[in-house]
Amino acid sequence: MIVPLSHILGFSSALFVMGLACVLARRDLIMILIGIEIMLNAVGLALVGASAFWQKVDGQIFVIFLMAMTSAEVAISLAMVVYLRRQKATLDADAYDGMKG
Amino acid sequence: MTWSDLYALLPVLVLIFGSTVLLMAGAWRAAFSTMVAYGILFSLAAAATAVFHTPGSHDVAGFFLIGGYSRFFSILWPIVAALTLTISFRYGADRGFSGGEYAALILFACAGMVLLSSASSLVSLFLGLETFTLALYILIAFHKGSPLGAEAGLKYLVMGGVATGLLAFGIALIFAATGTFHISEVSILDASNGQFHAVTLFGWGMLLAGIGFKISLVPFHLWTPDVYQGAPSPVAGLLATGSKGAVFAALVFLLGNLQLSRTPLANLLWVLSAASMLIGTLCALRQNNLKRMLAYSSVVHMGYLLLALLAGGTSGHTAILFYLVAYAFVNLGAFAVVTVFSSCATEPQSYEDFKGAGYRQPLAAAALLVFVLSLAGIPPTAGFMGKFAIFYAAIETGYTGLALIGILSSLVSLYYYLRPVIIMYMSGDSNTPSFSMMASEKSVLILCLIATLILGVYPGPLFDVITGILP
Amino acid sequence: MNPLSSLPILSLLIWLPLAGGLGCLFLRPVRHASRWIALGTTGVVFALTLFLFITGSSKNGWLFFEDHAWISRFGIRYTLGMDGLSLLMTLLTAFLLIVAVLISWQVSPYPDFFFSLLLLIECGIMGVFLSLDLVLFYLFWEIMLIPMFFLIGVWGHARRLYAAVKFFLFTLAGSLLMLLALISLYLLHGQQTGDYSFALSALIHTQIPPNLAWWLYGSFFVAFAVKVPLVPVHTWLPDAHTEAPTAGSVILAGILLKTGVYGLIRFGFPLFPGPAHASLPILAVLALAGIFYAAWIAYAQNDAKRLIAYSSVAHLGFVILGLAAWNLTALEGSILQMVNHGITTGALFSMVGMIDQRAHTREIARLGGLWTRVPVLGAFFLFFSLASLGLPGLNNFTGEILILLGTFTTHPVWAALALGGVVFAAIYMLRLVQGVLWGPTKGDEPWTDLSGREALVLIPLAILVLWLGLHPSTFLEPVREPVQLLLQGSMFPSMPGGMP
Amino acid sequence: MTDKTLFLIPLLPLLCGALNVLFGMRLPRQLSQAIAVGGVASSTVLTLVLWPLSAGAGTHVTLFTWLDSGTLHVPVEILFDPLSASMTLMVTGVSTLIHLYAIGYMHRDADYARFFALLNLFVFAMLTIVLADNLLLLFLGWEGVGFCSYALIGFWYREEKNASAGRKAFLVTRVGDVFLGIALLWLFKLFGTLSISGINAGASQLAPHILTLLVVLLLLGACGKSAQLPLMTWLPDAMAGPTPVSALIHAATMVTAGVYLLCRLFPLVSLSSTGLALISAVGAVTAFYAATCALAQREIKKVLAYSTMSQVGYMFLGVGTGAVAGSMFHLFTHAFFKALLFMGAGCIIHLCGEENDIFKMGGLRKKSPLVFWLFLAGALCLAGAPLSSGFFSKDGLLAAAYAHGTPFYLTIYILGAFTALLTAIYTFRLLYLVFGGTSRFTGDLHGLPKLMTWPLIPLALIALFSGVLNLPEIFGGHQWLDHLLHAAGSGESHPLSHMQEWTLAGIATALFAIGWAVAHWRYSRFTPAQEKKAVLFFLHGWQADRLVHATLITPFAFLSRLFWQGADLAVIDGILESLGQGCQSAGERLRTLTTGRVSSYLASLAWGLLLFMLFFLLQVVQG
């Protein structure tokens, strides 16, 4: 293996944290969703790396599942964005605070 | 994947088949009630299949372990789905739900729950979890006319997405550290696996955080009340019982065969359990919205279940399974009452809407009474037996401290469980509009009521079954 | 051979009221059906207990015993047993329930609901007095709470919600601890003997490490102390008694409080003899505190019901003192006094209810001159008040004097102090009597004197007051043997499989 | 006729009382009255008929077992011996006369049934005290008379004052009863039985200090019922009751129950010389105290009440000297003349139209000579006029004290003698103020029903001549009562020489004469004047009530409120409620975390994750 597993894990962790930071920092719904996608892609990276390290295809299979799942989620998310946009003319996530306490 | 594998998964296949059929049939604009009725039939068929279908112990592709344990949940979750659908007849029709999608999504979610409950690999765990989560994203926001529903959908979507990320990353880390997804192998959490010890631990941390979100443990619980409140009541019932229960079923499997109390996780779970019991209880004290109260109460109950999980062993796992069954009927019943009280346009938002219900709607009120008493753990209800089993397990394994905290929280919780009772029976004049319940709603209430009481006074058979099927 | 012995008579005592209660609910459309069902059910139950009392009181051992498997996972069995003590308690329960039904004859609103709750309470109490399996006992112990909570909460007076919730929370606080303790005890016993069972007869043989024994006993004790109630966990009582409807007060004071003492006698002492005996002085101190403290507070009350409620605390102090003395005479006195207090206080609460119906107030300052208006009612009130303050020849005296005589032989100072409490009792009771009966008449609308139904309630009570006062042996005979066994630290052997 | 017939003596009044309780309101007045009188009269007759049974050690009968538990065995048993027989005869006889008088007295009261029922119940309870051979049974009667006294004092309950007086009587006597009760418990512990005969028989085995304590307890019990210091404050107030009640309960019978108790248990009491001395001292001091108070009273019945207290004090004094028979003698004579005086007072009050104040009477001798002569007969006995019954009985007691010869008993004698002087003074003060001089009474005199006067005539004769019951030898008597009661026990006797006896009789006569003279000088021509402070002090019974109020009642009421508002509501409920409040406000605060905004939910998720990671980092670092 050319790249040591630790590097892959380090890189994907960094990517994951960046994605998480995006989710935490942004209020725009689209940006939050993008952050989530980044996190999930970091997962895919780590899985592929680990799969290579252990010489097992399990991880790669999981990545395929993950991609399918992600696309389903994206579809739902986008539908949701459109739906929300119709409900209230904003995509600021914090604007939706009708329920609290 | 062989034919025998498919044969073993028969109940799930029935669900998925039903779901697909309904989804397609929905294109022909069949009436809502017809579709829901078919949905009920499919889920009952799945349950019946599971009852009569005995494939024996079978490991499907290293993903799903089919056996008594999974069969148990293959019966339970379809029943929950069927009940959810049964209470939706009037509720959904009033709100213009499109029948095919609604029933199909519930069946689909149910399939996810069954899969999750029988997962033997982290991959299948993830897939099962995501299957019903995705369905729930839609179901929560299903009522298009409701701003609250949209808000709830948004919150669940965003939080769920992040939690999915955590979960997946945790799984990836564990895989990186151990090279396997299989639960029986990754569960070995001792320090022996050298260099990757840290990675494993971080992986577990992520995994637990993701799961903690799904079962709304403190501090990942904040979404719960909002989502419960915004979601359509039947869906909230499914969310509260099925989705959480399935996760716990998987957790028992995941953490079952390691001596939890000896691992570093024990301390963490201890704190999580205590915090969930206490904070959930305190937050529920001043709630005026029944659904939000139920949400906080579910936080508390997850704390109890975590306590049983921590205790582990046969007692702990028996307690969890029993509690899940009891909790399913009780909570579903409670949400059914909310559904029954929902008018065309709105759901009851505050306790005041139940004022005097004890005399206007005796059956619904009596049912809610029994359900909240059961949640409070007062005999002769299922909740008492469940709590008894949990405290039993806790004391047996020496978690007396947590048991005491549990006692304290159930004492305080009595106060908020009594509040709706007081409103219904002891607050004088009625605000409740007179309405007559549909037979379907009545039957769900009566079924849940009887189940709650029977499990409370004669839990022996269920305990025996559970003891027989534990992995 | 007893003709009833082929019947599961103990189960009947428990489940008959439940069936009646459900009957009340389901026959709602029939006008006035519920009250007759309630009267019929309580009547039949009373007849059963009376029959048992007449025929069975001289036998040895358990008079009746039932034992069935129930929840095998935890070794919980459905074990019921009746000895003299339970017999006496069930008799009292059955009797007071009839009283409760009769005084609530015209209850409104929701009479069917009301009577079904009454019957549910009877079911719970009977279960408590008959269970010999700890979990079964606990089950019934909690079941009693819910209907009582409703009685107070729905038909109570102004502060009923506060009182109802307080009642529920107090009692639950105690009993939850007991739940933990009984599970611990069970596990300990199972680990020692391999026999995992919640049966009382098995658990009394557990060898408990002293330290743990204290904790466990403490948990049980708290549960029972709340119910008795002992100072300082008594404050639920005045509120609950005052706010409850008349029947609720009668049942609360007459029976529910006794379940606490019964629990101590049946479970607390046999299970934990070590700490129980070591804690007798504490018990005595609490009892004495109760006697004086509650009497003192009773004097300051303006609400007649609340005054009687506090007097209950004081009277129960005597009962506990008898327990603390731990000898035959004192214990018999305690048991007798439980019955006595049930009768007298039940009667007094009923009477305050009757007065309230006429005067629409229970405030002592606004009552007065009752004798002029309703002399018969007044005479009964005076009679029961005298019984309550311990006039010899009436029932409370016999109980108190047995307790005191028994206590004095071992602990003279306790008894002497407690005797001082008798003066206190006279002080507050006479204040009540004076406020209600004597003085000028207030208001001038005519009142009807005792109605036939009310007389039907009061006359049997009055006869019992005299009977217990002049010939208590009738009621002491059956408890002698259980008390002797208790003092020896053993109990009747259980009889697996039911009837001998 | 079996011995069990003896039980009829107390049970007949009980039966008749019960009849009146149950049906009195529906019966015609005559029938109700007849039942009441019949019950008591038949008891009297029965006592006379059964008198032979009392000979020697008497007759002991058991009816049934009352209490039975372990070693405790309490039968309902009575002892008909000379002591109880003579007391029974006195009680029933006097009661019969008073019942008759009461018919006249109550002729206008609508509540006659209650009155006669209570009166009969009282007689029952009193006879139970007298006849009981078991302390617990005695206690039953003891409390029973307490209750009847309570109910009868407050008979006219519409006035708050009367009801309060009854309550006070009940409570104060109950304080005494507590001590009696303790004695009873202790005796049971010591002897294992509560039988009076058994206790008397076994008393000599007790240690002296225990005996003394027991006697003190018994004495305190007796003090309550007999209105002796310090439990005497209830008696003057008890005069709020109808006059027959005062005559029966608060003069003739109940107040002497304490004396009877001590006599009954004399074999035990006599074993403690300290105890005896204490009894004497209490008696003498009370006698003196009450006499001083009687001097200043304005209400006719209160004068008599204090004089009763004073005379009962003499009886205690007598018991303390060991003169049981003497005390019983005085008890009997006092019962006769005091009942007579009270009923006479009732007549006077009735004559004057319910006027109680002697300062507003006067000149009644001419208006109603019959009442005057009857009252005079009683008054002479009370004042100790030579050869009257009171003279002999009181003199006997003083002589017994003198005979001891110790400085202590001499002091007692001197106090007693001085009290005798005071007695003469207040008696004649009363006579002069009521009957002498000119009438200060405004208004018409009322007529008297015949039944209010003629029962007094036999009583007056008995009162005057009952001295023969125990006439000392120097007057040619045989001390019949002394011999009769010998079995009841007596202390060590100190025979006096005839010379000493004559001297004592002379002193008594002189005191009587001086007292008369003083009263004549001061009150034969009376004009009401402003009362001095000292007089007021005596009028209010040395301010005993105020003292009790300040030291006991006020603190009691204060504590009662303190415990209720302070401890129960503020502390216990307060702590619990603030716990509840704390939970609620904590919940409120925690709820604000659920802001409704996704960003803060995400933040909390992130914080939770951070904590998880930190936790695991810690695990990793620790290895």
Side-chain angles (χ1 to χ4, degrees), chain D residues 203-460:
Chain D
S204 53
Q205 296 152 9
L206 292 180
H209 65 282
I210 293 181
L211 267 172
T212 307
L213 274 173
L214 276 171
V215 172
V216 170
L217 289 169
L218 288 171
L219 172 63
L220 281 166
C223 281
K225 203 82 352 181
S226 294
Q228 299 295 293
L229 284 171
L231 300 171
M232 71 299 173
T233 54
W234 62 272
L235 190 59
D237 289 11
M239 295 303 123
T243 304
V245 172
S246 313
L248 180 60
I249 301 183
H250 306 120
T253 54
M254 187 187 87
V255 282
T256 57
V259 182
Y260 181 77
L261 174 77
L262 294 176
C263 294
R264 188 83 264 197
L265 288 169
F266 194 76
L268 182 141
V269 172
S270 62
L271 292 172
S272 162
S273 54
T274 324
L276 283 177
L278 210 58
I279 296 174
S280 282
V282 166
V285 171
T286 310
F288 172 73
Y289 159 83
T292 57
C293 297
L295 279 174
Q297 295 306 310
R298 293 183 55 163
E299 287 178 31
I300 181 166
K301 281 176 75 179
K302 283 205 172 166
V303 178
L304 294 177
Y306 276 111
S307 94
T308 305
M309 198 190 288
S310 174
Q311 298 300 311
V312 176
Y314 275 115
M315 297 172 210
F316 271 63
L317 186 158
V319 175
T321 59
V324 172
S327 288
M328 290 305 291
F329 181 38
H330 194 57
L331 194 160
F332 293 150
T333 58
H334 172 256
F336 300 138
F337 67 70
K338 192 51 69 69
L340 174 65
L341 281 171
F342 263 115
M343 293 198 272
C347 294
I348 293 166
I349 293 169
H350 193 84
L351 278 172
C352 300
E354 308 309 318
E355 178 57 68
N356 230 331
D357 190 346
I358 48 177
F359 284 11
K360 296 182 181 158
M361 295 175 180
L364 277 182
R365 190 176 78 160
K366 294 182 190 109
K367 304 250 168 84
S368 183
L370 176 62
V371 172
F372 169 68
W373 287 113
L374 289 171
F375 200 84
L376 183 66
L380 285 176
C381 295
L382 174 60
L387 301 183
S388 69
S389 63
F391 175 79
F392 294 120
S393 56
K394 196 192 292 173
D395 205 33
L397 295 178
L398 290 176
Y402 180 79
H404 271 263
T406 60
F408 173 77
Y409 279 104
L410 278 180
T411 318
I412 297 280
Y413 168 76
I414 292 167
L415 199 56
F418 183 64
T419 307
L421 172 66
L422 295 179
T423 310
I425 295 175
Y426 70 68
T427 311
F428 281 101
R429 167 177 176 268
L430 186 62
L431 278 174
Y432 278 116
L433 286 178
V434 174
F435 295 102
T438 52
S439 173
R440 294 177 296 279
F441 175 67
T442 52
D444 299 327
L445 282 181
H446 297 67
L448 281 175
K450 279 200 181 112
L451 264 178
M452 279 181 76
T453 46
W454 72 253
L456 305 194
I457 297 166
L459 201 56

Side-chain angles (χ1 to χ4, degrees), chain B residues 331-372:
Chain B
N331 233 356
L332 208 61
F335 279 103
V337 173
V338 180
T339 314
V340 166
F341 274 89
S342 304
S343 66
C344 269
T346 55
E347 291 190 352
Q349 285 300 323
S350 88
Y351 287 160
E352 286 301 304
D353 295 330
F354 293 92
K355 203 168 174 183
Y359 309 105
R360 291 276 182 100
Q361 296 293 335
L363 174 64
L368 186 58
L369 165 70
V370 172
F371 298 143
V372 292

Side-chain angles (χ1 to χ4, degrees), chain B residues 266-340:
Chain B
N267 294 327
L268 186 65
L269 293 183
W270 199 102
V271 174
L272 283 184
S273 165
S276 298
M277 290 193 276
L278 290 177
I279 292 178
T281 305
L282 290 177
C283 285
L285 275 179
R286 293 284 287 268
Q287 280 301 339
N288 281 318
N289 184 313
L290 186 61
K291 280 166 92 182
R292 293 185 79 86
M293 187 275 271
L294 286 171
Y296 280 119
S297 118
S298 82
V299 174
V300 182
H301 285 276
M302 291 306 131
Y304 291 143
L305 281 169
L306 202 57
L307 165 58
L309 187 71
L310 196 51
T314 317
S315 316
H317 298 153
T318 314
I320 291 179
L321 260 60
F322 182 85
Y323 208 89
L324 285 180
V325 177
Y327 189 68
F329 284 111
V330 171
N331 233 356
L332 208 61
F335 279 103
V337 173
V338 180
T339 314
V340 166

Side-chain angles (χ1 to χ4, degrees), chain C residues 143-372:
Chain C
I143 287 178
M144 295 188 300
L145 299 185
I146 306 157
M148 187 46 85
F149 168 73
F150 271 90
L151 275 192
I152 301 173
V154 178
W155 290 272
H157 305 289
R159 291 176 76 222
R160 60 182 189 276
L161 298 181
Y162 172 78
V165 172
K166 196 173 179 183
F167 162 73
F168 210 148
L169 284 178
F170 258 84
T171 20
L172 195 70
S175 54
L176 280 174
L177 276 179
M178 180 166 76
L179 179 64
L180 283 192
L182 65 90
I183 294 174
S184 311
L185 185 65
Y186 161 84
L187 286 167
L188 196 65
H189 179 257
Q191 283 153 13
Q192 280 174 5
T193 63
D195 168 27
Y196 282 91
S197 160
F198 276 106
L200 178 63
S201 53
L203 291 180
I204 55 171
H205 301 301
T206 318
Q207 303 295 320
I208 315 171
N211 231 343
L212 184 64
W214 270 102
W215 281 107
L216 298 183
Y217 175 69
S219 307
F220 272 77
F221 181 76
V222 169
F224 297 138
V226 168
K227 241 345 184 303
V228 171
L230 287 174
V231 172
V233 288
H234 66 285
T235 57
W236 65 271
L237 182 139
D239 284 314
H241 283 56
T242 313
E243 300 302 329
T246 306
S249 311
V250 170
I251 294 175
L252 265 177
I255 320 169
L256 240 59
L257 306 189
K258 277 61 177 197
T259 59
V261 185
Y262 176 85
L264 271 180
I265 295 179
R266 174 73 79 214
F267 296 99
F269 281 92
L271 285 175
F272 314 100
H277 287 125
S279 71
L280 288 179
I282 303 173
L283 210 58
V285 169
L286 291 176
L288 286 171
I291 292 174
F292 282 96
Y293 180 80
W296 229 312
I297 295 179
Y299 176 75
Q301 300 308 312
N302 290 320
D303 184 325
K305 249 181 143 175
R306 194 171 270 268
L307 192 152
I308 301 171
Y310 273 110
S311 88
S312 287
V313 181
H315 283 139
L316 266 293
F318 273 99
V319 176
I320 294 297
L321 185 71
L323 278 191
W326 202 246
N327 59 47
L328 184 71
T329 308
L331 269 173
E332 287 192 357
S334 284
I335 293 167
L336 187 67
Q337 186 65 357
M338 287 202 269
V339 179
N340 288 336
H341 175 256
I343 303 278
T344 335
T345 310
L348 279 174
F349 274 123
S350 308
M351 296 222 59
V352 173
M354 295 172 190
I355 292 169
D356 193 11
Q357 252 175 18
R358 293 168 167 81
H360 307 294
T361 180
R362 302 185 313 264
E363 219 177 299
I364 296 175
R366 290 171 60 196
L367 292 165
L370 228 69
W371 194 286
T372 318

Side-chain angles (χ1 to χ4, degrees), chain B residues 7 17 48 61 64 102 117 147 158 252 263 273 280 285 288 291 300 315 378 392 406 408 422 443 471:
Chain B
Y7 180 65
F17 173 73
F64 303 106
Y102 184 74
S117 307
V158 171
V252 169
T263 64
S273 165
L285 275 179
N288 281 318
K291 280 166 92 182
V300 182
S315 316
I378 306 287
Y392 176 89
L408 189 65
I422 288 174
S443 59

Side-chain angles (χ1 to χ4, degrees), chain B residues 155 158-159 162 166 198 201-202 205-206 208-209 219-220 222 226 264-265 268 272 282-283 285-287 296 415, chain D residues 583-584 586-588 590-591 593-594 596-598 600-602 604-605 608-609 612-613 615-617 619-620 623:
Chain B
K155 283 175 177 163
V158 171
M159 300 297 291
V162 175
L166 291 179
L201 277 183
F202 279 120
M206 294 276 191
L208 281 182
F220 310 112
L222 292 174
D226 292 358
L265 286 180
L268 186 65
L272 283 184
L282 290 177
C283 285
L285 275 179
R286 293 284 287 268
Q287 280 301 339
Y296 280 119
Y415 179 76
Chain D
C583 282
Q584 297 219 353
E588 239 358 55
L590 283 170
R591 270 177 65 190
L593 288 179
T594 317
R597 289 196 305 276
V598 176
S600 61
Y601 294 180
L602 286 169
S604 111
L605 191 147
L609 187 67
F612 271 40
M613 291 301 131
F615 173 79
F616 284 112
L617 203 61
Q619 299 290 329
V620 172

